[in-house]
Amino acid sequence: MRAQAGMSAVFPKLVLFDLDGTLLDSAPDMLATVNRMRAARGQGPMALEALRPHVSKGSRAMSAVAFPELGGEVPGAMVREFLDTYEQVLGQHGVLFEGVAELLEAIEAAGSRWGIVTNKPEYLARQVLPGLGWEARCALLIGGDTLPERKPHPLPLLHAAQVLDTAIADCAYVGDDRRDIESARAAGMRAIAALWGYRPDGDDPREWGADVLAGSVSELRRPAFWDALR
């Protein structure tokens, strides 16, 4: 049984978040990326609805969906092209999910800290922060290439707690992908599944093993939500 977590008045001492699909609706930026790639190959634009469920799966998965003729075999050069193209459009179309700004302010006001653990390459994730005014507010950012392992391995979350000198029992992780929940469970952190994010049809969050499912960002501001996790 997990140890009871230390909390501020409302939140755990440290709340860690995935980035794409959890804090940031980056699907429009990803769509601009694949449509540039498709245009370069003489193909028409892809619809957002077709790409959106795959955004949390990363550049290779999105490239596979954008170019089904590859049969899922995406060459490394195309992944590199995706990342380079994405860097050119990063932040031009994406927006915070509704309620995220207020949630982060509430966490800070309660005396807790928040950070980001994402599988996005660190150099790209860091470029997101200035446009949001998060450079000084985000306690820590770990990307998919920061450490030898990435989610669903527990190392990124364990490392985050260690760097910020916070007990695992005083941390929670919020993410919209199965790998987020698996990583949190393996690290011993409370795992919160964000239902507003990106996931393919048939991927049931109730099967991920999360401690709780959050249907909206606003739920995470309610003391009763966190009381249920004590």
Side-chain angles (χ1 to χ4, degrees):
M1 184 173 179
R2 296 185 186 185
Q4 293 296 308
M7 292 205 175
S8 64
V10 177
F11 303 99
K13 293 180 180 178
L14 176 62
V15 185
L16 298 169
F17 295 92
D18 179 43
L19 181 57
D20 300 304
T22 301
L23 296 176
L24 183 65
D25 185 1
S26 55
D29 281 344
M30 303 303 183
L31 180 67
T33 298
V34 299
N35 280 342
R36 281 195 183 190
M37 294 171 66
R38 286 176 61 86
R41 292 162 173 80
Q43 300 184 28
M46 183 179 186
L48 179 60
E49 294 74 19
L51 183 68
R52 189 179 186 86
H54 306 277
V55 170
S56 284
K57 303 299 183 184
S59 54
R60 190 176 297 275
M62 285 185 280
S63 297
V65 172
F67 299 98
E69 65 272 17
L70 296 176
E73 298 296 326
V74 179
M78 179 172 279
V79 173
R80 183 73 259 167
E81 178 187 359
F82 182 102
L83 295 174
D84 290 345
T85 305
Y86 171 66
E87 187 173 14
Q88 297 171 21
V89 303
L90 186 151
Q92 294 182 13
H93 309 282
V95 295
L96 295 181
F97 284 103
E98 182 178 358
V100 165
E102 294 81 1
L103 171 63
L104 299 182
E105 289 172 0
I107 291 172
E108 294 166 354
S112 294
R113 293 184 290 177
W114 61 272
I116 295 170
V117 179
T118 175
N119 275 357
K120 182 195 291 290
E122 182 179 341
Y123 78 97
L124 290 173
R126 289 205 176 277
Q127 292 183 50
V128 172
L129 302 186
L132 299 171
W134 286 356
E135 306 104 304
R137 297 174 58 194
C138 181
L140 164 143
L141 186 152
I142 295 175
D145 55 357
T146 303
L147 300 167
E149 301 287 352
R150 57 191 284 174
K151 301 176 297 183
H153 198 280
L155 178 62
L157 296 182
L158 294 172
H159 182 74
Q162 181 181 30
V163 168
L164 295 177
D165 194 25
T166 306
I168 294 296
D170 295 338
C171 302
Y173 187 60
V174 185
D176 70 303
D177 188 81
R178 180 187 293 269
R179 292 170 300 179
D180 299 325
I181 304 308
E182 291 176 352
S183 181
R185 297 289 294 184
M189 290 185 186
R190 284 162 295 166
I192 299 164
L195 301 186
W196 59 86
Y198 312 130
R199 60 183 183 274
D201 292 340
D203 190 0
D204 188 350
R206 293 173 296 182
E207 299 176 354
W208 296 353
D211 290 298
V212 65
L213 308 180
S216 67
V217 177
S218 63
E219 287 187 36
L220 301 184
R221 293 180 60 195
R222 299 171 186 164
F225 180 90
W226 297 102
D227 286 343
L229 287 174
R230 290 180 188 272

